Amino acid sequence: MSPASGAGGKKGLALILGGSGFVGTRLAPLLREQGWAVRIGDVRRSEAFPDLWMECDVTSPESLRKAVTGAAVIINLAAEHRDDVRPLSRYGEVNVEGARKVCDAAREAGIGKIIFTSSVAVYGFQPKAVDEAGPFDPFNAYGKTKLEAEGVYRAWAEEDAARTLTMVRPTVVFGEGNRGNVYNLLQQIASGKFLMVGAGKNVKSMAYVGNVAAFLAHVLSMGPGVHILNYVDGPDMDTITLVEHIRKCLGKKGSAPKFPKSLAMMGGHLLDVVARISGRTFPISAIRVRKFCESTQFRADRVKGTGFVPPYTLAEGLARTIAFEFPAK
């Protein structure tokens, strides 16, 4: 264990599981600024903070036992989340069984505070914006296992009234260095290859990584009990408005060409079949077409009640990401 990882924190040691990734890399320095010592536990080495990293797999009780030693709080960002994870059992192994093992390690170490990043995927596709009460209708293995993991953490919290559990359900998170669906959209628009699939009237909730990391640092101050909060950076945009904002940031004129949703879905299903037969992955799939065309809108009214003020607006987050990823544009 690196001496630097556990030293010098006035507030104690915060363990970030999955901290080598996109959100954890932004969160670690914020916690250090607040006076926390930080340890990053991850199967992958932290390129940004190698001195804070120790190898840890949430499916391994032994490695978890070492990682939680001396920690005052566990922040679990670790998850299987991509659309193309195979075998599907990996979602359950990491997201659900991993949650059980994290709770076991917390019990053994006497840790009474956990922050768990769940996901708005637990709601599935809903016809209108939903708050933390649901309804819940996850459409894929990722959303189903995140919802099941929430139950595991809730059971841990309810064993002792002095424990603190904060479950944050972020909407789709984007930002500098991420290679998720929002980046794919930006890249397609920047390259001139983007086609507007469908009418574009569907509404998208989004969250900038700088704000998500700041919110996770903010909720460390929450007291005992179970706290569940959606996280969204508003105001939400429909897809046409979002695409036009991105095009404006990139200095592009005119409107994007349009393509029928029905044909895009047919193409997505065809590529899904090819992917299963060949073992290859493609940037287009039926579920990604559906995600693009569906409204994914969520309410995050509880965030205001915590006193949190996002450091950036949604438009600023998009502009910062575009300037970083496509400086020549």
Side-chain angles (χ1 to χ4, degrees):
M1 183 184 306
S2 168
S5 65
K10 298 177 181 178
K11 293 186 177 181
L13 174 63
L15 169 64
I16 310 176
L17 296 173
S20 297
F22 177 50
V23 176
T25 298
R26 298 291 288 261
L27 176 59
L30 295 181
L31 297 185
R32 298 179 84 181
E33 289 173 9
Q34 288 186 358
W36 290 90
V38 173
R39 179 180 299 147
I40 292 172
D42 204 312
V43 293
R44 182 166 57 88
R45 179 180 176 85
S46 173
E47 298 298 329
F49 304 104
D51 59 320
L52 305 183
W53 173 79
M54 68 180 300
E55 187 172 4
C56 179
D57 185 341
V58 295
T59 67
S60 166
E62 183 178 353
S63 69
L64 274 170
R65 193 174 296 116
K66 294 177 182 178
V68 302
T69 300
V73 59
I74 298 171
I75 304 170
N76 188 13
L77 310 178
E80 285 287 5
H81 61 87
R82 289 176 56 93
D83 294 328
D84 55 359
V85 172
R86 296 294 182 274
L88 288 175
S89 59
R90 281 294 296 168
Y91 291 105
E93 291 168 6
V94 175
N95 299 348
V96 182
E97 294 306 316
R100 292 194 175 97
K101 291 178 173 63
V102 169
C103 288
D104 288 343
R107 290 186 188 98
E108 185 177 334
I111 298 170
K113 178 173 283 193
I114 294 178
I115 295 174
F116 170 57
T117 51
S118 184
S119 170
V120 294
V122 300
Y123 304 116
F125 296 122
Q126 298 292 339
K128 61 180 181 179
V130 296
D131 63 14
E132 291 83 357
F136 304 100
D137 188 22
F139 62 87
N140 60 9
Y142 171 66
K144 292 174 183 176
T145 54
K146 277 293 191 178
L147 187 59
E148 191 173 347
E150 287 190 9
V152 173
Y153 283 110
R154 187 189 289 273
W156 168 84
E158 292 174 349
E159 292 171 0
D160 187 339
R163 289 176 177 169
T164 303
L165 170 65
T166 304
M167 296 194 290
V168 180
R169 296 171 181 156
T171 186
V172 59
V173 182
F174 70 94
E176 300 93 326
N178 182 249
R179 291 297 178 265
N181 290 336
V182 174
Y183 172 78
N184 291 336
L185 173 65
L186 298 177
Q187 186 181 50
Q188 288 172 15
I189 296 174
S191 66
K193 298 177 181 178
F194 174 75
L195 296 174
M196 173 66 76
V197 177
K201 296 297 184 181
N202 52 312
V203 179
K204 297 290 187 185
S205 291
M206 302 171 68
Y208 176 56
V209 65
N211 291 339
V212 173
F215 185 64
L216 292 174
H218 177 76
V219 298
L220 269 172
S221 62
M222 301 192 82
V226 177
H227 313 282
I228 304 174
L229 305 108
N230 291 344
Y231 188 83
V232 172
D233 283 329
D236 295 331
M237 305 180 193
D238 62 27
T239 303
I240 287 179
T241 303
L242 173 62
V243 169
E244 291 307 312
H245 177 77
I246 294 170
R247 290 178 62 86
K248 183 177 179 181
C249 289
L250 289 167
K252 291 184 173 291
K253 298 180 180 180
S255 300
K258 295 184 178 181
F259 192 78
K261 177 184 174 182
S262 58
L263 293 181
M265 286 295 293
M266 288 174 60
H269 284 301
L270 177 61
L271 288 174
D272 288 344
V273 172
V274 175
R276 283 195 294 269
I277 295 172
S278 67
R280 295 176 58 193
T281 58
F282 298 93
I284 297 174
S285 65
I287 190 60
R288 287 175 180 168
V289 173
R290 186 181 178 192
K291 281 183 178 180
F292 181 82
C293 295
E294 293 276 357
S295 285
T296 48
Q297 191 175 17
F298 310 95
R299 294 180 59 182
D301 300 336
R302 292 183 187 178
V303 170
K304 296 178 182 178
T306 70
F308 177 70
V309 178
Y312 310 94
T313 65
L314 177 57
E316 287 171 343
L318 284 165
R320 290 170 64 91
T321 303
I322 291 168
F324 176 87
E325 299 290 356
F326 309 100
K329 301 292 184 180

PDB file of all heavy atoms in Angstrom, residues 3 5 15 38 54 76 92 95 99 101 103 117 138-139 158-159 183-184 192 229 241 260 265 268 290 308 318-319:
ATOM      1  N   PRO A   3       2.263   4.677   0.980  1.00  0.00           N
ATOM      2  CA  PRO A   3       2.087   5.544   2.134  1.00  0.00           C
ATOM      3  C   PRO A   3       1.312   6.805   1.811  1.00  0.00           C
ATOM      4  O   PRO A   3       0.557   7.312   2.630  1.00  0.00           O
ATOM      5  CB  PRO A   3       3.532   5.860   2.548  1.00  0.00           C
ATOM      6  CG  PRO A   3       4.354   4.753   1.974  1.00  0.00           C
ATOM      7  CD  PRO A   3       3.670   4.367   0.713  1.00  0.00           C
ATOM      8  N   SER A   5      -1.140   7.164  -0.097  1.00  0.00           N
ATOM      9  CA  SER A   5      -2.571   6.958  -0.279  1.00  0.00           C
ATOM     10  C   SER A   5      -3.350   7.144   1.005  1.00  0.00           C
ATOM     11  O   SER A   5      -4.507   7.528   0.990  1.00  0.00           O
ATOM     12  CB  SER A   5      -2.837   5.554  -0.834  1.00  0.00           C
ATOM     13  OG  SER A   5      -2.455   4.572   0.103  1.00  0.00           O
ATOM     14  N   LEU A  15     -12.021   5.664   0.343  1.00  0.00           N
ATOM     15  CA  LEU A  15     -11.676   4.642  -0.646  1.00  0.00           C
ATOM     16  C   LEU A  15     -12.604   4.772  -1.838  1.00  0.00           C
ATOM     17  O   LEU A  15     -13.824   4.677  -1.697  1.00  0.00           O
ATOM     18  CB  LEU A  15     -11.809   3.245  -0.034  1.00  0.00           C
ATOM     19  CG  LEU A  15     -11.732   2.063  -1.010  1.00  0.00           C
ATOM     20  CD1 LEU A  15     -10.351   1.982  -1.666  1.00  0.00           C
ATOM     21  CD2 LEU A  15     -12.076   0.750  -0.309  1.00  0.00           C
ATOM     22  N   VAL A  38      -6.988   9.895   0.144  1.00  0.00           N
ATOM     23  CA  VAL A  38      -7.684   9.146  -0.896  1.00  0.00           C
ATOM     24  C   VAL A  38      -6.908   7.889  -1.247  1.00  0.00           C
ATOM     25  O   VAL A  38      -5.682   7.915  -1.391  1.00  0.00           O
ATOM     26  CB  VAL A  38      -7.876  10.011  -2.166  1.00  0.00           C
ATOM     27  CG1 VAL A  38      -8.445   9.171  -3.307  1.00  0.00           C
ATOM     28  CG2 VAL A  38      -8.784  11.194  -1.869  1.00  0.00           C
ATOM     29  N   MET A  54      -4.174   1.168  -5.526  1.00  0.00           N
ATOM     30  CA  MET A  54      -3.807  -0.187  -5.171  1.00  0.00           C
ATOM     31  C   MET A  54      -4.758  -1.131  -5.903  1.00  0.00           C
ATOM     32  O   MET A  54      -5.930  -0.812  -6.113  1.00  0.00           O
ATOM     33  CB  MET A  54      -3.852  -0.426  -3.663  1.00  0.00           C
ATOM     34  CG  MET A  54      -5.229  -0.406  -3.045  1.00  0.00           C
ATOM     35  SD  MET A  54      -5.180  -0.693  -1.245  1.00  0.00           S
ATOM     36  CE  MET A  54      -4.419  -2.316  -1.177  1.00  0.00           C
ATOM     37  N   ASN A  76     -18.299   3.625  -4.112  1.00  0.00           N
ATOM     38  CA  ASN A  76     -18.212   2.554  -5.105  1.00  0.00           C
ATOM     39  C   ASN A  76     -18.677   3.031  -6.474  1.00  0.00           C
ATOM     40  O   ASN A  76     -19.869   3.196  -6.730  1.00  0.00           O
ATOM     41  CB  ASN A  76     -19.031   1.336  -4.676  1.00  0.00           C
ATOM     42  CG  ASN A  76     -18.798   0.152  -5.612  1.00  0.00           C
ATOM     43  OD1 ASN A  76     -17.864   0.159  -6.421  1.00  0.00           O
ATOM     44  ND2 ASN A  76     -19.640  -0.850  -5.514  1.00  0.00           N
ATOM     45  N   GLY A  92     -23.988  -9.436 -13.342  1.00  0.00           N
ATOM     46  CA  GLY A  92     -24.356  -9.888 -12.011  1.00  0.00           C
ATOM     47  C   GLY A  92     -23.151 -10.085 -11.111  1.00  0.00           C
ATOM     48  O   GLY A  92     -23.181  -9.733  -9.923  1.00  0.00           O
ATOM     49  N   ASN A  95     -21.727  -6.204 -10.563  1.00  0.00           N
ATOM     50  CA  ASN A  95     -22.651  -5.207 -10.026  1.00  0.00           C
ATOM     51  C   ASN A  95     -23.408  -5.684  -8.790  1.00  0.00           C
ATOM     52  O   ASN A  95     -23.658  -4.899  -7.876  1.00  0.00           O
ATOM     53  CB  ASN A  95     -23.643  -4.777 -11.109  1.00  0.00           C
ATOM     54  CG  ASN A  95     -22.952  -4.139 -12.301  1.00  0.00           C
ATOM     55  OD1 ASN A  95     -21.770  -3.819 -12.242  1.00  0.00           O
ATOM     56  ND2 ASN A  95     -23.667  -3.975 -13.394  1.00  0.00           N
ATOM     57  N   ALA A  99     -21.429  -5.883  -5.022  1.00  0.00           N
ATOM     58  CA  ALA A  99     -22.068  -5.094  -3.974  1.00  0.00           C
ATOM     59  C   ALA A  99     -22.117  -5.871  -2.659  1.00  0.00           C
ATOM     60  O   ALA A  99     -21.860  -5.311  -1.579  1.00  0.00           O
ATOM     61  CB  ALA A  99     -23.480  -4.699  -4.403  1.00  0.00           C
ATOM     62  N   LYS A 101     -20.092  -8.208  -1.682  1.00  0.00           N
ATOM     63  CA  LYS A 101     -18.744  -8.324  -1.127  1.00  0.00           C
ATOM     64  C   LYS A 101     -18.262  -6.990  -0.556  1.00  0.00           C
ATOM     65  O   LYS A 101     -17.540  -6.958   0.452  1.00  0.00           O
ATOM     66  CB  LYS A 101     -17.786  -8.856  -2.194  1.00  0.00           C
ATOM     67  CG  LYS A 101     -18.051 -10.317  -2.548  1.00  0.00           C
ATOM     68  CD  LYS A 101     -17.124 -10.814  -3.645  1.00  0.00           C
ATOM     69  CE  LYS A 101     -17.289 -12.326  -3.861  1.00  0.00           C
ATOM     70  NZ  LYS A 101     -18.641 -12.690  -4.316  1.00  0.00           N
ATOM     71  N   CYS A 103     -20.241  -4.746   0.834  1.00  0.00           N
ATOM     72  CA  CYS A 103     -20.948  -4.623   2.113  1.00  0.00           C
ATOM     73  C   CYS A 103     -20.329  -5.536   3.169  1.00  0.00           C
ATOM     74  O   CYS A 103     -20.196  -5.141   4.332  1.00  0.00           O
ATOM     75  CB  CYS A 103     -22.427  -4.950   1.933  1.00  0.00           C
ATOM     76  SG  CYS A 103     -23.351  -3.693   1.031  1.00  0.00           S
ATOM     77  N   THR A 117     -22.766   4.679  -6.648  1.00  0.00           N
ATOM     78  CA  THR A 117     -23.284   5.263  -7.882  1.00  0.00           C
ATOM     79  C   THR A 117     -24.093   4.200  -8.611  1.00  0.00           C
ATOM     80  O   THR A 117     -23.540   3.262  -9.181  1.00  0.00           O
ATOM     81  CB  THR A 117     -22.166   5.785  -8.800  1.00  0.00           C
ATOM     82  OG1 THR A 117     -21.182   4.768  -8.980  1.00  0.00           O
ATOM     83  CG2 THR A 117     -21.520   7.017  -8.217  1.00  0.00           C
ATOM     84  N   PRO A 138     -36.157  -1.535 -15.788  1.00  0.00           N
ATOM     85  CA  PRO A 138     -34.900  -1.621 -16.540  1.00  0.00           C
ATOM     86  C   PRO A 138     -35.028  -2.549 -17.736  1.00  0.00           C
ATOM     87  O   PRO A 138     -35.666  -3.602 -17.646  1.00  0.00           O
ATOM     88  CB  PRO A 138     -33.906  -2.164 -15.507  1.00  0.00           C
ATOM     89  CG  PRO A 138     -34.757  -2.837 -14.476  1.00  0.00           C
ATOM     90  CD  PRO A 138     -36.037  -2.061 -14.427  1.00  0.00           C
ATOM     91  N   PHE A 139     -34.426  -2.158 -18.860  1.00  0.00           N
ATOM     92  CA  PHE A 139     -34.604  -2.900 -20.105  1.00  0.00           C
ATOM     93  C   PHE A 139     -33.396  -3.764 -20.449  1.00  0.00           C
ATOM     94  O   PHE A 139     -33.451  -4.535 -21.408  1.00  0.00           O
ATOM     95  CB  PHE A 139     -34.882  -1.941 -21.270  1.00  0.00           C
ATOM     96  CG  PHE A 139     -33.747  -0.973 -21.529  1.00  0.00           C
ATOM     97  CD1 PHE A 139     -32.700  -1.318 -22.353  1.00  0.00           C
ATOM     98  CD2 PHE A 139     -33.746   0.271 -20.931  1.00  0.00           C
ATOM     99  CE1 PHE A 139     -31.650  -0.430 -22.584  1.00  0.00           C
ATOM    100  CE2 PHE A 139     -32.704   1.164 -21.155  1.00  0.00           C
ATOM    101  CZ  PHE A 139     -31.661   0.812 -21.976  1.00  0.00           C
ATOM    102  N   GLU A 158     -29.854  -0.734   6.499  1.00  0.00           N
ATOM    103  CA  GLU A 158     -30.960  -0.915   7.447  1.00  0.00           C
ATOM    104  C   GLU A 158     -30.602  -1.811   8.621  1.00  0.00           C
ATOM    105  O   GLU A 158     -31.376  -1.916   9.585  1.00  0.00           O
ATOM    106  CB  GLU A 158     -32.182  -1.458   6.703  1.00  0.00           C
ATOM    107  CG  GLU A 158     -32.782  -0.433   5.731  1.00  0.00           C
ATOM    108  CD  GLU A 158     -33.897  -0.987   4.881  1.00  0.00           C
ATOM    109  OE1 GLU A 158     -34.076  -2.232   4.884  1.00  0.00           O
ATOM    110  OE2 GLU A 158     -34.589  -0.189   4.207  1.00  0.00           O
ATOM    111  N   GLU A 159     -29.424  -2.422   8.590  1.00  0.00           N
ATOM    112  CA  GLU A 159     -28.970  -3.228   9.720  1.00  0.00           C
ATOM    113  C   GLU A 159     -28.607  -2.369  10.931  1.00  0.00           C
ATOM    114  O   GLU A 159     -28.630  -2.846  12.061  1.00  0.00           O
ATOM    115  CB  GLU A 159     -27.737  -4.052   9.314  1.00  0.00           C
ATOM    116  CG  GLU A 159     -28.022  -5.142   8.302  1.00  0.00           C
ATOM    117  CD  GLU A 159     -26.748  -5.780   7.780  1.00  0.00           C
ATOM    118  OE1 GLU A 159     -25.645  -5.371   8.212  1.00  0.00           O
ATOM    119  OE2 GLU A 159     -26.849  -6.679   6.925  1.00  0.00           O
ATOM    120  N   TYR A 183     -19.787  11.067 -26.570  1.00  0.00           N
ATOM    121  CA  TYR A 183     -18.594  11.291 -27.396  1.00  0.00           C
ATOM    122  C   TYR A 183     -18.825  10.794 -28.819  1.00  0.00           C
ATOM    123  O   TYR A 183     -18.424  11.448 -29.786  1.00  0.00           O
ATOM    124  CB  TYR A 183     -17.375  10.593 -26.799  1.00  0.00           C
ATOM    125  CG  TYR A 183     -16.180  10.650 -27.726  1.00  0.00           C
ATOM    126  CD1 TYR A 183     -15.412  11.807 -27.830  1.00  0.00           C
ATOM    127  CD2 TYR A 183     -15.847   9.565 -28.541  1.00  0.00           C
ATOM    128  CE1 TYR A 183     -14.340  11.879 -28.698  1.00  0.00           C
ATOM    129  CE2 TYR A 183     -14.773   9.624 -29.412  1.00  0.00           C
ATOM    130  CZ  TYR A 183     -14.022  10.786 -29.490  1.00  0.00           C
ATOM    131  OH  TYR A 183     -12.970  10.855 -30.364  1.00  0.00           O
ATOM    132  N   ASN A 184     -19.454   9.620 -28.956  1.00  0.00           N
ATOM    133  CA  ASN A 184     -19.727   9.097 -30.302  1.00  0.00           C
ATOM    134  C   ASN A 184     -20.583  10.072 -31.101  1.00  0.00           C
ATOM    135  O   ASN A 184     -20.360  10.278 -32.301  1.00  0.00           O
ATOM    136  CB  ASN A 184     -20.430   7.748 -30.195  1.00  0.00           C
ATOM    137  CG  ASN A 184     -19.522   6.661 -29.645  1.00  0.00           C
ATOM    138  OD1 ASN A 184     -18.300   6.758 -29.755  1.00  0.00           O
ATOM    139  ND2 ASN A 184     -20.110   5.639 -29.045  1.00  0.00           N
ATOM    140  N   GLY A 192     -18.829  15.095 -39.817  1.00  0.00           N
ATOM    141  CA  GLY A 192     -19.782  15.294 -40.904  1.00  0.00           C
ATOM    142  C   GLY A 192     -20.540  14.042 -41.291  1.00  0.00           C
ATOM    143  O   GLY A 192     -21.267  14.033 -42.285  1.00  0.00           O
ATOM    144  N   LEU A 229     -30.742   9.846  -4.688  1.00  0.00           N
ATOM    145  CA  LEU A 229     -30.826  11.082  -5.463  1.00  0.00           C
ATOM    146  C   LEU A 229     -30.501  10.836  -6.931  1.00  0.00           C
ATOM    147  O   LEU A 229     -29.453  10.271  -7.258  1.00  0.00           O
ATOM    148  CB  LEU A 229     -29.849  12.129  -4.918  1.00  0.00           C
ATOM    149  CG  LEU A 229     -29.961  12.481  -3.439  1.00  0.00           C
ATOM    150  CD1 LEU A 229     -28.782  11.893  -2.682  1.00  0.00           C
ATOM    151  CD2 LEU A 229     -30.017  13.980  -3.221  1.00  0.00           C
ATOM    152  N   THR A 241     -32.368  20.241 -30.547  1.00  0.00           N
ATOM    153  CA  THR A 241     -31.690  21.369 -29.891  1.00  0.00           C
ATOM    154  C   THR A 241     -30.272  20.991 -29.496  1.00  0.00           C
ATOM    155  O   THR A 241     -29.327  21.785 -29.662  1.00  0.00           O
ATOM    156  CB  THR A 241     -32.480  21.804 -28.654  1.00  0.00           C
ATOM    157  OG1 THR A 241     -33.817  22.139 -29.034  1.00  0.00           O
ATOM    158  CG2 THR A 241     -31.832  23.011 -27.985  1.00  0.00           C
ATOM    159  N   PRO A 260     -34.754   7.806 -41.471  1.00  0.00           N
ATOM    160  CA  PRO A 260     -35.917   7.218 -40.800  1.00  0.00           C
ATOM    161  C   PRO A 260     -35.506   6.255 -39.679  1.00  0.00           C
ATOM    162  O   PRO A 260     -34.594   5.440 -39.843  1.00  0.00           O
ATOM    163  CB  PRO A 260     -36.634   6.467 -41.923  1.00  0.00           C
ATOM    164  CG  PRO A 260     -36.150   7.103 -43.181  1.00  0.00           C
ATOM    165  CD  PRO A 260     -34.746   7.513 -42.916  1.00  0.00           C
ATOM    166  N   MET A 265     -33.337   1.079 -37.191  1.00  0.00           N
ATOM    167  CA  MET A 265     -33.555  -0.081 -36.333  1.00  0.00           C
ATOM    168  C   MET A 265     -33.281  -1.375 -37.092  1.00  0.00           C
ATOM    169  O   MET A 265     -32.684  -2.318 -36.552  1.00  0.00           O
ATOM    170  CB  MET A 265     -34.983  -0.078 -35.796  1.00  0.00           C
ATOM    171  CG  MET A 265     -35.237   0.958 -34.708  1.00  0.00           C
ATOM    172  SD  MET A 265     -34.282   0.644 -33.195  1.00  0.00           S
ATOM    173  CE  MET A 265     -35.026  -0.887 -32.621  1.00  0.00           C
ATOM    174  N   GLY A 268     -29.640  -1.755 -37.243  1.00  0.00           N
ATOM    175  CA  GLY A 268     -29.104  -2.124 -35.931  1.00  0.00           C
ATOM    176  C   GLY A 268     -29.296  -3.594 -35.625  1.00  0.00           C
ATOM    177  O   GLY A 268     -28.381  -4.271 -35.132  1.00  0.00           O
ATOM    178  N   ARG A 290     -32.294   2.715 -30.396  1.00  0.00           N
ATOM    179  CA  ARG A 290     -33.452   2.960 -29.550  1.00  0.00           C
ATOM    180  C   ARG A 290     -33.137   4.011 -28.483  1.00  0.00           C
ATOM    181  O   ARG A 290     -33.946   4.901 -28.217  1.00  0.00           O
ATOM    182  CB  ARG A 290     -33.914   1.660 -28.880  1.00  0.00           C
ATOM    183  CG  ARG A 290     -35.212   1.843 -28.097  1.00  0.00           C
ATOM    184  CD  ARG A 290     -35.675   0.582 -27.409  1.00  0.00           C
ATOM    185  NE  ARG A 290     -36.883   0.854 -26.641  1.00  0.00           N
ATOM    186  CZ  ARG A 290     -37.402   0.031 -25.766  1.00  0.00           C
ATOM    187  NH1 ARG A 290     -36.839  -1.139 -25.535  1.00  0.00           N
ATOM    188  NH2 ARG A 290     -38.505   0.350 -25.104  1.00  0.00           N
ATOM    189  N   PHE A 308     -26.545  21.843  -3.085  1.00  0.00           N
ATOM    190  CA  PHE A 308     -25.488  21.743  -4.087  1.00  0.00           C
ATOM    191  C   PHE A 308     -25.706  22.721  -5.226  1.00  0.00           C
ATOM    192  O   PHE A 308     -26.817  22.869  -5.743  1.00  0.00           O
ATOM    193  CB  PHE A 308     -25.441  20.321  -4.654  1.00  0.00           C
ATOM    194  CG  PHE A 308     -24.426  20.129  -5.749  1.00  0.00           C
ATOM    195  CD1 PHE A 308     -23.071  20.154  -5.459  1.00  0.00           C
ATOM    196  CD2 PHE A 308     -24.821  19.912  -7.062  1.00  0.00           C
ATOM    197  CE1 PHE A 308     -22.127  19.968  -6.463  1.00  0.00           C
ATOM    198  CE2 PHE A 308     -23.888  19.719  -8.067  1.00  0.00           C
ATOM    199  CZ  PHE A 308     -22.528  19.749  -7.771  1.00  0.00           C
ATOM    200  N   LEU A 318     -20.761  20.976 -22.228  1.00  0.00           N
ATOM    201  CA  LEU A 318     -20.658  20.557 -23.624  1.00  0.00           C
ATOM    202  C   LEU A 318     -19.556  21.332 -24.345  1.00  0.00           C
ATOM    203  O   LEU A 318     -18.757  20.759 -25.096  1.00  0.00           O
ATOM    204  CB  LEU A 318     -21.996  20.757 -24.332  1.00  0.00           C
ATOM    205  CG  LEU A 318     -23.078  19.725 -24.021  1.00  0.00           C
ATOM    206  CD1 LEU A 318     -24.446  20.230 -24.468  1.00  0.00           C
ATOM    207  CD2 LEU A 318     -22.758  18.382 -24.697  1.00  0.00           C
ATOM    208  N   ALA A 319     -19.519  22.645 -24.122  1.00  0.00           N
ATOM    209  CA  ALA A 319     -18.519  23.470 -24.790  1.00  0.00           C
ATOM    210  C   ALA A 319     -17.102  23.084 -24.358  1.00  0.00           C
ATOM    211  O   ALA A 319     -16.185  23.013 -25.190  1.00  0.00           O
ATOM    212  CB  ALA A 319     -18.776  24.945 -24.491  1.00  0.00           C
TER     213      ALA A 319
END
